[in-house]
Amino acid sequence: MGSSVGDKTDLLFVKNFIGGEFVDCDSQLDSFDPSTGQAWAKIPNSGHREVENAVTAATQAFESWSNTTAQQRSKLLFRIADLLESRLEEFAELESRDQGKPIWLAKAVDIPRAVHNFRFFASYILHDMNRSRIQEERGAVQYTIKEPIGVAGLISPWNLPLYLLTFKLAPALAAGNTVVAKPSELTSVTAFKLCEIMQEAGVPAGVVNMVFGLGGTAGHSLVSHPKVPLISFTGGTVTAERIRKAATVSCKKFSLELGGKNAAVVFEDADLDKCIPDCIKSSFMNQGEICLCTSRIFVHKDIYPTFLQRFVEEMKKLKVGDPREDVFMGALISKDHLSKVVGAIHAAKNSGGTIHTQQGELSKELPVRCKEGYFVRPTVISDVADSSAAMQEEIFGPVTCVVPFDTEEEVISRANGVRYGLCATVWTRDVSRAHRVSKHMKVGTVWVNCWLVRDLNMPFGGVKESGIGRESGHDSLDFFTQEKTVCVLV
């Protein structure tokens, strides 16, 4: 197998994982290192045949796996977590090279969170309770049994590849389902390596299957397969619409976690010493390629000039460069995505927006190996109308708009004035106002005086075009199971 880390020129060859074995594919795709623009891995270009084989393997494994005890499944998930943690450095380097994020970020967030996902659900299933009721007037006892549904189709995105894959995979397995997963074709390497851990941990053949390839072929075959009764998808709204149509035809159960155009509302009494650093992180972390990133910052007019000046000053301190070095931002995921982000900035400027960014040609600051990489500077846009594309459309890059507001009622209306509704942040020292504004924000999550403080016990998801369904300890297991009621007349 080819090299996976460093500057060696030999390619890493990814294989499908079907029925407990690594399987070659007749056709392959190039996978590019975003920091260099060079192909570094070959990914299977799977189609209907590969998906059919994976679904068959998962279907055959379901009866045995679904009848294991919660204790057995918990022990195996803990084993997976331990093995993954023992290879944290390796996985962090692979994730960085595949996605473009700084290695330090993958070490601090992505891989540790993937480990946590397995441990959380390994523990959660040991304490999940069924419901029961004594119906005295009929002399009956009624109780529920939570049963796995079958083969779970999991489609995960490229921005937090292993993190979000395991957030689906762990509860699906914990609940007793078997899995066919299709990671993004842009970031397949850590999912491939995770299959090695599945083998080592002793996951029975067919319980976990990974099929790599394009959404239009492998992804479509998976979501439309008649023996895949549930689909969990994280990604874009356009793809979600296709999944929604495929799922409704055959009454599939589906969960969709989609994009956002997330707002931060900064009131005049906000603690700017805390607010500004957090808004910097929420706008630009992971190159702005997080569905929860802030892309619209509404600032009360009394503090708007001060906030804008300080925010831009802090933004200009952020270092962009080689993900292997001490930088805040690495490279965007692809050449096409770079064009999209840069195009959005140019469009905002052409429509009258003021562009604030660091000066100088970025390519001159990059090391030789990164000259052809997909880098862009963090950017702030001001003097932009709420109706503009920059304020309405998801850019999914290190770009945020900063605009003033006057009244509480006004800013609530403006913050809600997009088709998305994933999350928002509210910055104020007035507790009553914090609760009042949070109630009226049309989103799935509101953070007050913080950002991205997550507890897996609490539900996560969006409203409007930001998705359908919720994920958490309870909600994820609810999605991956179906309840049966048993009534016993005594």
Side-chain angles (χ1 to χ4, degrees):
M1 184 175 294
S3 171
S4 61
V5 183
D7 290 320
K8 296 179 181 179
T9 57
D10 51 319
L11 295 173
L12 185 152
F13 287 87
V14 170
K15 296 183 179 183
N16 288 323
F17 186 67
I18 300 174
E21 301 291 335
F22 289 101
V23 182
D24 289 317
C25 184
D26 293 338
S27 177
Q28 295 179 321
L29 303 166
D30 285 328
S31 182
F32 293 89
D33 180 338
S35 69
T36 66
Q38 303 299 312
W40 79 289
K42 289 286 188 179
I43 308 299
N45 186 16
S46 303
H48 177 74
R49 183 183 65 180
E50 289 78 12
V51 171
E52 183 66 38
N53 291 340
V55 172
T56 298
T59 302
Q60 292 173 347
F62 176 70
E63 183 176 358
S64 175
W65 177 249
S66 63
N67 284 303
T68 57
T69 66
Q71 289 78 8
Q72 289 173 307
R73 297 194 296 272
S74 174
K75 183 177 180 180
L76 190 55
L77 290 178
F78 275 122
R79 173 67 173 155
I80 294 169
D82 291 344
L83 290 171
L84 178 57
E85 188 173 51
S86 72
R87 296 172 62 177
L88 188 149
E89 295 277 341
E90 173 197 354
F91 271 77
E93 291 181 22
L94 290 169
E95 199 77 303
S96 170
R97 189 167 187 190
D98 213 19
Q99 199 273 337
K101 68 181 75 224
I103 289 179
W104 70 262
L105 183 60
K107 286 181 180 178
V109 177
D110 293 68
I111 311 308
R113 189 52 180 265
V115 171
H116 178 65
N117 287 338
F118 283 115
R119 286 184 176 148
F120 177 88
F121 286 102
S123 176
Y124 195 93
I125 55 173
L126 299 179
H127 306 286
D128 190 35
M129 303 290 288
N130 293 328
R131 292 183 288 173
S132 64
R133 177 177 172 80
I134 298 175
Q135 198 173 0
E136 294 179 354
E137 68 276 14
R138 298 298 304 273
V141 174
Q142 301 198 31
Y143 63 92
T144 62
I145 300 173
K146 292 182 179 178
E147 298 180 331
I149 297 175
V151 179
L154 312 180
I155 301 179
S156 51
W158 50 257
N159 60 324
L160 303 168
L162 196 66
Y163 180 157
L164 293 181
L165 171 62
T166 57
F167 194 38
K168 302 175 185 296
L169 182 60
L173 296 177
N177 299 283
T178 54
V179 164
V180 177
K182 194 209 84 68
S184 169
E185 67 276 10
L186 299 177
T187 52
S188 297
V189 171
T190 50
F192 167 59
K193 288 292 184 178
L194 183 64
C195 296
E196 296 178 353
I197 287 177
M198 296 293 167
Q199 278 189 326
E200 186 178 352
V203 175
V207 171
V208 174
N209 305 273
M210 294 276 183
V211 178
F212 303 98
L214 300 171
T217 49
H220 176 74
S221 294
L222 180 58
V223 302
S224 60
H225 200 288
K227 292 185 179 180
V228 179
L230 72 166
I231 300 293
S232 177
F233 170 79
T234 299
T237 305
V238 174
T239 304
E241 180 61 27
R242 300 191 189 112
I243 292 173
R244 199 180 281 124
K245 290 177 180 178
T248 53
V249 169
S250 53
C251 297
K252 295 179 186 287
K253 191 176 185 181
F254 60 92
S255 173
L256 307 175
E257 199 276 284
L258 310 177
K261 192 65 181 174
N262 309 309
V265 179
V266 183
F267 287 97
E268 69 279 5
D269 63 340
D271 180 356
L272 295 187
D273 289 338
K274 186 175 190 306
C275 172
I276 289 175
D278 273 21
C279 284
I280 288 286
K281 287 190 294 183
S282 73
S283 298
F284 306 122
M285 180 176 282
N286 203 53
Q287 302 80 242
E289 296 170 329
I290 302 176
C291 59
L292 301 172
C293 274
T294 302
S295 56
R296 298 177 298 146
I297 305 177
F298 295 90
V299 184
H300 192 274
K301 65 178 184 179
D302 289 351
I303 62 169
Y304 177 77
T306 300
F307 179 95
L308 181 60
Q309 178 184 352
R310 290 181 58 180
F311 187 81
V312 171
E313 287 175 353
E314 291 302 311
M315 177 204 68
K316 289 181 177 179
K317 296 177 184 177
L318 300 179
K319 188 174 181 181
V320 181
D322 190 338
R324 303 183 305 182
E325 298 178 359
D326 183 19
V327 296
F328 184 80
M329 283 172 41
L332 297 182
I333 184 63
S334 68
K335 188 174 183 179
D336 287 344
H337 193 56
L338 174 64
S339 296
K340 174 192 173 184
V341 172
V342 172
I345 297 170
H346 288 329
K349 182 178 181 180
N350 292 338
S351 64
T354 300
I355 308 301
H356 308 266
T357 189
Q358 295 161 304
Q359 300 301 312
E361 187 177 339
L362 179 57
S363 62
K364 294 180 179 179
E365 303 171 16
L366 298 171
V368 173
R369 68 177 294 272
C370 295
K371 294 295 184 182
E372 302 300 320
Y374 315 131
F375 295 89
V376 66
R377 295 190 190 277
T379 300
V380 168
I381 304 173
S382 62
D383 303 314
V384 59
D386 288 359
S387 59
S388 69
M391 288 284 281
Q392 290 290 320
E393 301 299 325
E394 185 179 40
I395 298 173
F396 214 61
V399 181
T400 194
C401 299
V402 182
V403 294
F405 74 90
D406 189 0
T407 68
E408 180 180 312
E409 294 75 14
E410 168 209 338
V411 77
I412 290 172
S413 176
R414 292 171 65 191
N416 288 334
V418 294
R419 59 194 176 106
Y420 299 101
L422 189 56
C423 71
T425 56
V426 176
W427 293 90
T428 180
R429 303 184 205 217
D430 184 332
V431 176
S432 296
R433 179 160 59 188
H435 288 294
R436 187 170 60 245
V437 173
S438 296
K439 177 182 178 181
H440 291 290
M441 300 296 280
K442 303 301 183 184
V443 296
T445 299
V446 179
W447 283 292
V448 178
N449 298 329
C450 62
W451 175 71
L452 206 57
V453 179
R454 286 278 288 120
D455 183 336
L456 294 190
N457 287 291
M458 303 303 291
F460 171 76
V463 301
K464 298 191 281 188
E465 291 192 26
S466 285
I468 297 173
R470 293 292 182 269
E471 297 174 312
S472 70
H474 170 79
D475 294 277
S476 292
L477 285 188
D478 182 62
F479 173 72
F480 285 111
T481 58
Q482 53 196 359
E483 279 192 305
K484 175 190 292 180
T485 297
V486 178
C487 176
V488 181
L489 196 65
V490 297

